[in-house]
């Protein structure tokens, strides 16, 4: 199969000039032409990911070369597509202006064919290499960040499960923290945080109770009220967590570690100075710790614990405003009120898959906006858009669909699937205990389909079974696509699966 040839866009208002360039280049490259700046911009918009190089004339009607370059800069195309300017005009100011707008090279007319061919070839190869390196860097950074995020979440869940909780507390704190950060940034410029800090602080919030690892089970899971001595031991978890983080021999200057330390140590401080462990007052308490503090209190109030029943959303807000659970920054109280309605919906419809995507989109958005970073290629942008499109259509469909990972064992169902099957949207399995609090015949039958071993060559499984849909037992077909990790010289490993349930009438 022949390798696809690079595509070159020639932009010139003189037909003879376009023909001369095309004749020189057509043996090695595919050519498309535009006779003015407007036509060039239409082709650039339509074929951004396909065009390997633009040969651009300077003087043209409608939009000249400089105007085309300005719009390419505005749309970010200049970072993805190299431009060689070819013009009879060769004044110093004009050439300097072209280079300032991102032109890669300048060739004066009349040109030498060999010089043109070599410069075109070198430019295309240079950009192709940069694109490859950018993809490689992106892959490494994404994998590292994803693994770091997974490790933080895993450590946090260890604490939550040991604390006899569902494991959702840390995820709720993450969500509430993120929503409060957006609202605070909208309301005030008082604190030295920006949009880029939102993802870091939200991730760091997951570590707020890591110090509870040091607290004895008899105190951590005591169903009744703690004695003063026991409470003093319990209060030690905030300082213990900070000491644990501070003892890590690397990464102390990383923003994630800095915020995690602040949150661990000071999320139980009070705005009136009566908190612990250091009795900080007002804005002596870092804003990240203040935000996690109010998020922690809200989720603790609205969640059932071994020592209490859950309060309603309205009761929790009233208790927080009445200072029954501490004293908080007035700005945080106003921000909590502002997000109150959205907060209930966000926590009730929490989706693990969307949470993972948040991490990815945060990284991607940061990298695309970072003008110093070489990652701008169109394929990466398209990948992000495909992920967004997939999530959008999944939310719109009325199908019964799900996603499953085998290790760790986690089932994520679409909203519609969870409703029809009478299952939670996220099911986490303990290897020893099995499904946590799931007594549902549908779940057991679907698991059977998931664990019917396909082969790495034929990855799709079709299983007919009776399932209870909307309360009625009906015949269904469960279709499972198993995903295998295939590594050279290693046996394939079953990692995940995607499923669709079709009701047979």
């Amino acid at each position: 199969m022949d390798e696809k040839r690079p595509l070159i866009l020639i932009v010139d208002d003189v037909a003879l000039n376009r023909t001369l360039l095309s004749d020189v280049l057509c043996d090695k490259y595919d050519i498309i032409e535009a006779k003015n700046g407007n036509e060039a911009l239409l082709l650039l918009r339509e074929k951004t990911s396909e065009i390997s190089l633009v040969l651009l004339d300077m003087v043209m009607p409608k939009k000249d070369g400089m105007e085309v370059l300005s719009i390419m800069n505005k749309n970010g195309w200049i970072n993805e597509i190299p431009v060689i300017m070819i013009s009879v005009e060769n004044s110093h100011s004009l050439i300097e202006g072209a280079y300032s707008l991102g032109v890669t090279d300048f060739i004066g007319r009349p040109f030498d064919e060999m010089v043109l061919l070599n410069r075109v070839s070198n430019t295309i190869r240079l950009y192709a290499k940069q694109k490859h390196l950018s993809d490689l860097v992106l892959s490494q950074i994404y994998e590292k960040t994803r693994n770091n995020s997974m490790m933080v979440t895993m450590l946090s869940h260890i604490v939550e499960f040991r604390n006899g909780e569902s494991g959702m507390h840390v995820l709720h704190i993450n969500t509430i923290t993120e929503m409060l950060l957006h609202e605070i940034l909208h309301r005030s410029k008082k604190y030295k945080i920006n949009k880029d800090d939102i993802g870091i602080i939200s991730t760091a919030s997951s570590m707020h109770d890591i110090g509870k690892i040091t607290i004895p089970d008899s105190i951590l899971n005591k169903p009744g009220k703690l004695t003063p001595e026991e409470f003093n031991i319990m209060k030690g978890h905030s300082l213990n967590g900070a000491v644990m983080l501070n003892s890590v021999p690397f990464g102390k200057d990383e923003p994630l570690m800095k915020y995690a330390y602040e949150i661990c140590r000071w999320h139980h401080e009070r705005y009136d100075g009566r908190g612990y462990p250091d009795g900080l007052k007002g804005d002596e308490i870092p804003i990240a710790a203040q935000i996690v503090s109010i998020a922690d209190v809200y989720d603790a109030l609205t969640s059932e614990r071994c020592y209490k029943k859950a309060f309603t959303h309205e009761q929790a807000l009233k208790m927080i405003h009445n200072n029954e659970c501490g004293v908080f920054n007035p700005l945080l109280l106003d921000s909590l009120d502002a997000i109150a309605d959205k907060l209930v919906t966000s926590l009730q419809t929490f989706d693990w898959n969307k949470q993972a995507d948040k991490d990815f989109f945060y990284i991607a958005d940061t990298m695309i906006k970072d003008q110093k970073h070489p990652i701008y290629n169109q394929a990466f942008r398209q990948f992000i858009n495909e992920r967004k499109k997939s999530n959008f259509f999944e939310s719109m469909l009325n199908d019964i669909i799900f996603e499953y990972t085998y290790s760790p064992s986690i089932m994520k169902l679409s909203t519609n699937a969870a409703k029809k099957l009478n299952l939670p949207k996220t099911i986490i399995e303990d290897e020893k205990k099995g499904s946590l609090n799931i007594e549902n015949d549908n779940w057991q039958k679907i698991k059977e389909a998931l664990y019917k071993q396909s082969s790495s060559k034929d990855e799709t499984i079709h299983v007919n079974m009776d399932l209870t849909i909307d309360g009625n037992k009906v015949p269904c077909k469960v279709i499972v696509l198993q995903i295998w990790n295939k590594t050279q010289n290693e046996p394939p490993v079953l990692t995940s699966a995607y499923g669709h349930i079709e009701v047979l009438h």
Side-chain angles (χ1 to χ4, degrees), residues 293-346:
S293 174
I294 199 168
D296 191 27
V297 166
Y298 173 85
D299 192 60
L301 289 172
T302 54
S303 302
E304 186 172 341
R305 298 288 169 85
C306 60
Y307 52 85
K308 67 174 249 326
K309 296 290 184 181
F311 293 100
T312 65
H313 167 73
E314 291 74 19
Q315 287 174 319
L317 290 179
K318 185 177 180 180
M319 293 169 74
I320 290 170
H321 276 284
N322 290 342
N323 300 332
E324 295 179 45
C325 311
V327 178
F328 299 99
N329 185 335
L331 176 62
L332 265 68
L333 293 172
D334 291 342
S335 298
L336 182 63
D337 289 340
I339 67 168
D341 293 338
K342 293 185 291 184
L343 186 58
V344 176
T345 305
S346 296

Side-chain angles (χ1 to χ4, degrees), residues 166-432:
S166 67
M168 292 302 289
H169 175 62
V170 66
L171 302 174
H172 286 173
I173 297 298
N174 189 296
T175 299
I176 300 168
T177 298
E178 181 181 351
M179 293 176 72
L180 283 171
L181 279 164
H182 279 291
E183 184 62 31
I184 288 166
L185 283 178
H186 174 70
R187 287 173 171 266
S188 173
K189 296 182 180 179
K190 178 180 178 181
Y191 299 102
K192 293 180 180 179
I193 53 175
N194 55 49
K195 288 184 178 179
D196 292 339
D197 295 318
I198 292 176
I200 301 172
I201 295 173
S202 298
T203 300
S205 73
S206 303
M207 303 291 285
H208 70 287
D209 273 343
I210 195 71
K212 284 186 177 178
I213 290 174
T214 64
I215 306 301
D217 285 348
S218 58
I219 296 176
L220 200 60
N221 295 316
K222 184 177 179 179
K225 186 177 180 180
L226 298 178
T227 65
E229 293 79 12
E230 289 171 336
F231 185 57
N232 281 331
I233 294 172
M234 176 66 87
K235 287 197 298 184
H237 80 273
S238 56
L239 188 55
N240 293 346
V243 170
M244 288 165 61
L245 289 174
N246 201 43
S247 66
V248 176
F250 53 86
K252 287 185 172 62
D253 295 330
E254 294 292 327
L256 178 64
M257 188 65 82
K258 170 182 169 289
Y259 284 124
Y261 179 90
E262 292 177 354
I263 289 167
C264 272
R265 181 161 187 149
W266 294 307
H267 72 282
H268 281 295
E269 298 287 355
R270 287 171 47 133
Y271 206 66
D272 61 358
R274 297 172 60 194
Y276 62 86
D278 299 312
L280 301 184
K281 185 176 182 180
D283 283 328
E284 293 175 353
I285 310 166
I287 188 61
Q290 292 188 50
I291 292 169
V292 173
S293 174
I294 199 168
D296 191 27
V297 166
Y298 173 85
D299 192 60
L301 289 172
T302 54
S303 302
E304 186 172 341
R305 298 288 169 85
C306 60
Y307 52 85
K308 67 174 249 326
K309 296 290 184 181
F311 293 100
T312 65
H313 167 73
E314 291 74 19
Q315 287 174 319
L317 290 179
K318 185 177 180 180
M319 293 169 74
I320 290 170
H321 276 284
N322 290 342
N323 300 332
E324 295 179 45
C325 311
V327 178
F328 299 99
N329 185 335
L331 176 62
L332 265 68
L333 293 172
D334 291 342
S335 298
L336 182 63
D337 289 340
I339 67 168
D341 293 338
K342 293 185 291 184
L343 186 58
V344 176
T345 305
S346 296
L347 296 181
Q348 287 177 346
T349 59
F350 186 89
D351 190 318
W352 280 69
N353 195 43
K354 289 179 181 177
Q355 181 61 35
D357 280 342
K358 278 183 188 177
D359 294 336
F360 176 76
F361 291 136
Y362 168 73
I363 299 163
D365 189 55
T366 301
M367 296 174 88
I368 286 174
K369 290 177 180 176
D370 184 358
Q371 298 299 313
K372 297 178 182 177
H373 204 284
I375 295 173
Y376 292 102
N377 67 75
Q378 182 68 11
F380 178 52
R381 292 172 186 268
Q382 287 178 331
F383 177 60
I384 297 170
N385 290 335
E386 287 299 320
R387 290 283 295 272
K388 289 181 178 177
K389 184 171 72 175
S390 173
N391 288 338
F392 171 74
F393 281 118
E394 179 181 317
S395 68
M396 300 295 289
L397 291 172
N398 198 36
D399 285 1
I400 307 174
I401 53 180
F402 57 84
E403 180 180 347
Y404 186 74
T405 59
Y406 289 88
S407 182
S409 177
I410 299 175
M411 169 72 93
K412 293 175 282 187
L413 297 109
S414 65
T415 302
N416 189 57
K419 181 180 178 182
K420 288 183 174 295
L421 295 168
N422 191 29
L423 286 167
K425 290 185 67 176
T426 301
I427 303 171
I428 311 170
E429 282 204 302
D430 183 288
E431 289 185 3
K432 295 181 180 178

